Amino acid sequence: MDETDLKKRNYTRNGSVTRSVGSIIKPNEEEVKATILQKDVGLLSGICLIVGTMIGSGIFISPKAVLEGTGAVGPCLCVWAACGVLSTLGALCYAELGTMITKSGGEYPYLMEGFGPVLAYLYSWTTIFVLKPSSFAIIALSCAEYASTPFYPGCIPPMMITKCLAAAFILLIVLVNCLSVKLASYVQNFFTAAKLLIIVIIVVSGIVMLAQGNTQNLTDTFKGAATSFGAIGLAFYNGLWAYDGWNQLNFITEELKNPYRNLPLAIMIGIPLVSVCYVLVNVAYFSVLTPTELLQSPAVAVTYGDRVLYPVSWLVPLFVVFSAFGAANGSCFTAGRLTYVAGREGHMVKILSYISPKYFTPAPALIFNGILSIFYIIPADINTLINYFSFAQWLFYGLTALALIVMRFTRKELERPIKVPIIIPVVVVIVSCYLVLAPIIDKPEFEYLYCTVFIVGGMIFYYPFVHRKFSWTRRVMKTNIQTTNGVFVIH
């Protein structure tokens, strides 16, 4: 082969296509850049991702479900505080894991290192096809519900309107994330500031109401408290749904500037901030609403605004929409990274590991997650999806904390810039077991069986497509797509 032919050939390097001159590979700068995710996320954006994803629709929807499970104001507030402590403990485990294994994808690389490819595959299978898109759908539905409520005073908005609006939100968010990582970060920062503003408005107005003597709902707060083992577990489910997002920064570790410093710092700033906000917001709710009124309210935050903030009560649904939109943006941002990493590792079709050579975003992974999310909003029931989501999610949270314990003995050679006391992952594992088993024991439902069957059912695809790699499965998994400029972006 002569020099002219060599110049015309394209070579792949680290999943990219490079051009050779003679025998020396000299990659085009833009092509090489398009093969990896860029480190565009700083400390402030990291904090905003955590806070912005955690504070979404949960605090405006979950108060009813938590109160139903606990039966009284006192235990309700205790559950909210305990959920904050548990989220912090889990995040500390993830801080050690994220600085020890600096790969994107959340739990995926940690389960891979701790237990091997089978469990990591089952996590990616379950999360990519169920957990992430259902979470995205739940938040989008909540955003649409609050956005449409003011246009239907005195009644519930038509379900078709809510679902169509939720689908529009999903499409818009996916488009933003496909166009630019920095644009998605700016959107996240803006909506995080907006949601913190409405939190401050609610908390300050609640303090004013308490100062005026509206404390009747905060006296004898443990009267009528529920004692059911499973009911408390479901209350924790819904409280932890509102806190979910404390692990989101681990999904983008490869895009985080100075992860050894910024990952733990963002966690230790963001999660306590959210915990304090949540407890104070619930106290503010009870300064105006009785437990019965809170349970009967179709939109707790809107009802509170109508009672306290009139004539500017319209600010509450507006900022709640902002809050849910920001959380949906954060969910989409991180979901795309998990799908991208799973495709890169060969656990999903290769097309999902492609990066746009123009925008440097994992566009196919983001679009795939968006399409699945739209499917999930069609039959959506928010409470059912939350229970389904929490059951499987806490199963993997517990396994990830267990992986941290296992690697303390099996991977002693790994550098650990942060090393948490071993009791912390032990507590997380025990609590995870409780959250997974308590509702099943107390009130068995087919949802949990369906979830278990779906998780284990992933092995049907793992064996031929990943483990054995038959010739026909290799063709399916390694489909190539050529970009408009003639460059292949292959991982």
Side-chain angles (χ1 to χ4, degrees):
M1 183 180 294
D2 60 23
E3 185 177 353
T4 303
D5 291 329
L6 285 170
K7 289 180 180 180
K8 292 180 180 178
R9 287 193 58 181
N10 290 339
Y11 291 86
T12 60
R13 180 187 179 205
N14 295 331
S16 67
V17 170
T18 61
R19 306 197 182 276
S20 65
V21 178
S23 59
I24 302 174
I25 297 177
K26 293 185 178 180
N28 178 281
E29 181 180 353
E30 290 297 312
E31 292 172 1
V32 172
K33 187 177 181 182
T35 66
I36 59 174
L37 297 173
Q38 306 303 301
K39 290 186 176 294
D40 291 328
V41 181
L43 176 60
L44 177 61
S45 294
I47 295 172
C48 288
L49 180 64
I50 293 175
V51 174
T53 307
M54 290 178 70
I55 303 178
S57 59
I59 187 59
F60 309 110
I61 293 178
S62 295
K64 291 195 296 183
V66 175
L67 184 59
E68 285 176 351
T70 55
V73 174
C76 177
L77 296 177
C78 290
V79 166
W80 281 104
C83 287
V85 173
L86 181 58
S87 298
T88 302
L89 294 179
L92 288 173
C93 296
Y94 278 57
E96 176 176 333
L97 288 165
T99 53
M100 179 175 67
I101 303 170
T102 55
K103 294 181 179 180
S104 294
E107 292 85 354
Y108 179 80
Y110 314 143
L111 294 173
M112 179 77 80
E113 293 289 339
F115 299 116
V118 174
L119 196 54
Y121 172 83
L122 292 179
Y123 167 77
S124 64
W125 157 262
T126 306
T127 305
I128 291 171
F129 285 97
V130 177
L131 302 185
K132 280 296 184 181
S134 68
S135 174
F136 195 4
I138 292 169
I139 301 171
L141 283 166
S142 303
C143 183
E145 183 177 331
Y146 272 89
S148 56
T149 296
F151 298 98
Y152 296 89
C155 64
I156 300 175
M159 186 56 66
M160 183 59 66
I161 297 295
T162 301
K163 290 182 177 181
C164 289
L165 193 56
F169 284 146
I170 289 173
L171 293 174
L172 177 60
I173 290 168
V174 170
L175 176 63
V176 168
N177 279 268
C178 287
L179 289 177
S180 170
V181 172
K182 289 185 177 180
L183 176 60
S185 296
Y186 292 150
V187 169
Q188 191 68 29
N189 295 351
F190 172 80
F191 284 104
T192 298
K195 66 184 66 182
L196 287 176
L197 177 59
I198 191 60
I199 291 288
V200 169
I201 291 173
I202 292 175
V203 169
V204 170
S205 61
I207 292 173
V208 172
M209 297 301 294
L210 291 174
Q212 293 176 349
N214 295 285
T215 59
Q216 61 274 14
N217 297 324
L218 296 172
T219 57
D220 197 12
T221 55
F222 284 83
K223 184 178 180 180
T227 56
S228 169
F229 186 74
I232 297 296
L234 286 174
F236 268 97
Y237 263 2
N238 288 280
L240 289 167
W241 158 249
Y243 277 96
D244 196 69
W246 51 264
N247 64 329
Q248 296 301 289
L249 208 55
N250 292 73
F251 281 88
I252 63 164
T253 307
E254 294 173 23
E255 297 170 83
L256 191 63
K257 299 174 183 176
N258 192 4
Y260 299 109
R261 170 185 176 272
N262 290 338
L263 176 62
L265 193 57
I267 287 173
M268 295 313 299
I269 293 174
I271 297 176
L273 174 63
V274 173
S275 302
V276 172
C277 287
Y278 278 5
V279 174
L280 292 179
V281 165
N282 277 275
V283 171
Y285 288 156
F286 288 117
S287 71
V288 175
L289 304 173
T290 66
T292 302
E293 289 174 333
L294 190 145
L295 290 174
Q296 293 176 346
S297 172
V300 178
V302 173
T303 303
Y304 176 88
D306 291 338
R307 297 277 186 91
V308 178
L309 301 176
Y310 186 83
V312 292
S313 57
W314 55 269
L315 285 173
V316 175
L318 175 64
F319 277 89
V320 171
V321 171
F322 288 168
S323 178
F325 190 90
N329 181 73
S331 177
C332 176
F333 190 94
T334 56
R337 274 59 188 176
L338 171 61
T339 308
Y340 159 80
V341 172
R344 186 178 65 186
E345 297 295 329
H347 284 180
M348 292 291 158
V349 293
K350 285 295 181 181
I351 186 176
L352 296 178
S353 69
Y354 291 2
I355 296 176
S356 167
K358 181 177 182 181
Y359 301 112
F360 312 117
T361 59
L366 292 165
I367 294 170
F368 181 73
N369 179 62
I371 292 172
L372 288 179
S373 301
I374 290 176
F375 281 126
Y376 271 95
I377 68 175
I378 295 173
D381 174 77
I382 291 179
N383 289 328
T384 301
L385 281 176
I386 288 175
N387 293 338
Y388 190 82
F389 172 85
S390 300
F391 166 77
Q393 189 66 77
W394 276 95
L395 173 64
F396 288 113
Y397 285 160
L399 288 172
T400 303
L402 182 61
L404 175 59
I405 298 172
V406 169
M407 285 190 284
R408 286 284 182 91
F409 301 97
T410 61
R411 302 299 301 274
K412 294 180 180 180
E413 76 281 3
L414 292 176
E415 183 180 355
R416 292 171 169 83
I418 295 176
K419 191 173 183 179
V420 300
I422 193 69
I423 188 63
I424 291 179
V426 170
V427 169
V428 173
V429 171
I430 293 172
V431 173
S432 299
C433 291
Y434 167 74
L435 291 172
V436 170
L437 297 176
I440 299 176
I441 295 172
D442 185 72
K443 188 179 179 182
E445 293 184 1
F446 281 111
E447 294 169 4
Y448 308 121
L449 177 62
Y450 295 154
C451 185
T452 304
V453 170
F454 183 87
I455 294 173
V456 177
M459 293 303 298
I460 297 174
F461 296 93
Y462 178 82
Y463 182 77
F465 287 93
V466 179
H467 180 67
R468 286 300 301 269
K469 296 181 179 178
F470 298 112
S471 59
W472 64 273
T473 61
R474 284 199 297 269
R475 287 196 297 270
V476 172
M477 296 292 284
K478 295 184 178 180
T479 303
N480 292 329
I481 284 186
Q482 190 171 15
T483 63
T484 55
N485 63 359
V487 176
F488 286 100
V489 185
I490 304 173
H491 297 263

